[in-house]
């Protein structure tokens, strides 16, 4: 490293450690988890060298390991590596959504480790205990008839099955949301520092493509005939993840339609109404069919 790069690395490491201390002692942990990856992202753009950024990441592991022991190492595995991946994505000019998805994958590994370090039990067991405690409190609040107790028991089992089965997808979506917010804040800061950045993704161009739409439909079809439990769990996670992403795509398509008709306010109202009802399923279907037929291009042609 050159002298200037070393100075910048020292500054970014100091900022990272301040964020970690605040996160470690529980001061605004949600905000700190968003801010923790930012020093690595900024340093990546400043140095323009992946190797230098990797050395900074190593420094973050050493610093948080000395200060927070195993918890510090796991926290950096989650948020530090996320920042490193986003930074590498900016340097390598990865497509915007690929950059975020790659960064979010680390949460599937790191978040369960973090829960285990904190509580001494696995994430799945921790969620099971939490759900059981919630339902136990509901039952203790009032004397319920037998039918209500049976319904609560059925609901509890359904929630336990859903959360344990779809846990990887839930973790991936949480990581994706964290990466999205962190990326946006980093881009804002870097623009203020007058750094030239690759074009960030425009949500109106969010497009998963025909291949993922085919995988989504194929997974639903296979889930009807496959009896193997492990394969079914994998298929359910694929369906859950793609359904959520196609819901986002459907929302984008719907808003594009209403904007092309100069009815943005009415569109927001209709979309909100659909999301608050069972019609959200049809928005996902709209996203799936858009992957094949690209409605937004048709809206643009009609408007012109």
């Amino acid at each position: 490293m050159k002298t200037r790069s070393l100075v910048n690395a020292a500054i970014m490491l100091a900022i990272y450690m301040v964020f970690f201390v605040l996160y470690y002692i529980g001061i605004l942990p949600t905000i700190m988890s968003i801010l923790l990856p930012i020093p690595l992202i900024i340093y990546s753009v400043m140095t323009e060298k992946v190797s230098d950024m990797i050395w900074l990441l190593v420094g973050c592991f050493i610093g948080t390991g000395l200060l927070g022991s195993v918890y510090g190492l796991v926290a950096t595995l989650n948020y530090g590596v996320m920042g490193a991946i986003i930074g590498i994505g900016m340097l390598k000019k990865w497509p915007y959504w690929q950059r975020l998805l790659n960064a979010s994958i680390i949460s599937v590994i790191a978040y369960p480790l973090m829960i285990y370090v904190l509580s001494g039990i696995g994430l799945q067991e921790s969620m099971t205990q939490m759900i059981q405690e919630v339902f136990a409190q509901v039952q203790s609040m009032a004397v319920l008839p037998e039918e209500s107790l049976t319904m609560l028991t059925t609901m509890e089992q359904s929630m336990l099955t859903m959360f344990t089965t779809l846990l990887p997808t839930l973790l991936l979506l949480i990581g994706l949301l964290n990466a999205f917010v962190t990326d946006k804040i980093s881009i804002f800061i870097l623009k203020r520092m007058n750094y030239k950045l690759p074009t960030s993704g425009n949500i109106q161009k969010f497009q998963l493509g025909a291949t993922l739409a085919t995988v989504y439909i194929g997974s639903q079809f296979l889930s009807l005939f496959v009896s193997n439990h492990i394969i079914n769990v994998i298929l359910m996670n694929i369906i859950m993840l793609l359904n959520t992403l196609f819901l986002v795509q459907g929302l984008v398509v719907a808003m594009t339609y209403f904007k092309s008709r100069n009815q943005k306010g009415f569109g927001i109202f209709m979309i909100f109404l659909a999301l608050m009802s069972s019609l959200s399923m049809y928005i996902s279907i709209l996203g799936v069919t858009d992957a094949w037929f690209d409605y937004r291009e048709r809206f643009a042609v009609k408007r012109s």
Side-chain angles (χ1 to χ4, degrees):
M1 287 187 184
K2 296 181 180 179
T3 303
R4 183 176 179 182
S5 182
L6 280 171
V7 172
N8 290 333
I11 293 172
M12 292 300 122
L13 179 59
I15 294 173
Y16 182 88
M17 292 304 298
V18 170
F19 288 159
F20 173 72
V21 169
L22 295 174
Y23 176 78
Y24 184 66
I25 62 180
I27 297 179
L28 301 175
T30 302
I31 295 176
M32 291 304 116
S33 66
I34 293 171
L35 297 180
L36 267 170
I38 292 178
L40 287 108
I41 299 172
I42 293 176
Y43 185 69
S44 299
V45 177
M46 292 172 66
T47 187
E48 297 184 345
K49 291 182 179 179
V50 174
S51 58
D52 287 0
M53 185 272 296
I54 295 298
W55 281 114
L56 173 60
L57 179 61
V58 171
C60 292
F61 270 111
I62 295 173
T64 53
L66 292 173
L67 187 62
S69 189
V70 178
Y71 179 77
L73 294 174
V74 175
T76 299
L77 175 63
N78 193 0
Y79 304 114
V81 173
M82 178 181 289
I85 293 174
I86 293 175
I88 293 172
M90 288 182 176
L91 294 179
K92 299 295 184 180
K93 295 181 172 55
W94 290 345
Y96 181 70
W97 298 108
Q98 179 188 341
R99 183 170 83 214
L100 297 186
L101 185 60
N102 289 347
S104 65
I105 290 173
I106 191 66
S107 298
V108 180
I109 302 170
Y111 195 75
L113 284 174
M114 189 177 297
I115 296 299
Y116 182 78
V117 170
L118 284 173
S119 61
I121 59 176
L123 179 58
Q124 184 172 329
E125 186 178 350
S126 176
M127 293 183 67
T128 300
Q129 289 182 2
M130 182 179 67
I131 293 172
Q132 289 174 341
E133 288 174 3
V134 169
F135 278 92
Q137 289 178 0
V138 172
Q139 293 181 22
S140 65
M141 289 174 63
V143 179
L144 299 174
E146 189 67 27
E147 293 181 358
S148 298
L149 287 173
T150 303
M151 184 178 68
L152 278 176
T153 302
T154 304
M155 189 182 301
E156 179 182 351
Q157 292 301 319
S158 299
M159 288 188 66
L160 286 172
T161 302
M162 182 185 70
F163 277 106
T164 53
T165 301
L166 301 177
L167 188 57
T169 297
L170 294 173
L171 292 175
L172 189 63
L173 292 174
I174 291 171
L176 187 60
L177 178 61
N178 198 101
F180 174 79
V181 177
T182 298
D183 185 85
K184 287 297 183 184
I185 295 174
S186 300
I187 289 174
F188 174 79
I189 295 173
L190 287 165
K191 284 183 176 179
R192 292 287 180 177
M193 296 172 67
N194 296 320
Y195 280 98
K196 187 177 180 180
L197 300 169
T199 304
S200 61
N202 186 343
I203 190 65
Q204 293 184 1
K205 296 180 180 179
F206 184 77
Q207 172 66 263
L208 293 176
T211 301
L212 287 179
T214 304
V215 170
Y216 175 64
I217 298 299
S219 298
Q220 290 186 321
F221 182 77
L222 284 174
S223 66
L224 299 174
F225 301 99
V226 175
S227 57
N228 185 279
H229 176 69
I230 296 177
I231 296 177
N232 265 317
V233 169
I234 295 173
L235 289 173
M236 287 300 295
N237 278 277
I238 292 173
I239 292 168
M240 173 66 176
L241 176 61
L242 291 180
N243 182 71
T244 304
L245 295 177
F246 278 117
L247 175 63
V248 174
Q249 184 163 329
L251 291 173
V252 172
V253 173
M255 278 307 303
T256 303
Y257 172 80
F258 286 110
K259 285 180 69 176
S260 69
R261 269 54 177 182
N262 294 320
Q263 296 177 335
K264 184 177 179 180
F266 179 70
I268 293 174
F269 171 75
M270 291 299 296
I271 290 172
F272 178 79
L273 188 65
L275 290 175
M276 293 298 103
S277 65
S278 58
L279 296 177
S280 59
M281 173 183 64
Y282 296 101
I283 300 179
S284 295
I285 295 174
L286 177 63
V288 173
T289 54
D290 174 68
W292 284 314
F293 303 111
D294 195 358
Y295 298 132
R296 280 164 283 186
E297 186 176 337
R298 299 167 187 262
F299 299 155
V301 171
K302 288 183 178 181
R303 187 175 185 183
S304 60

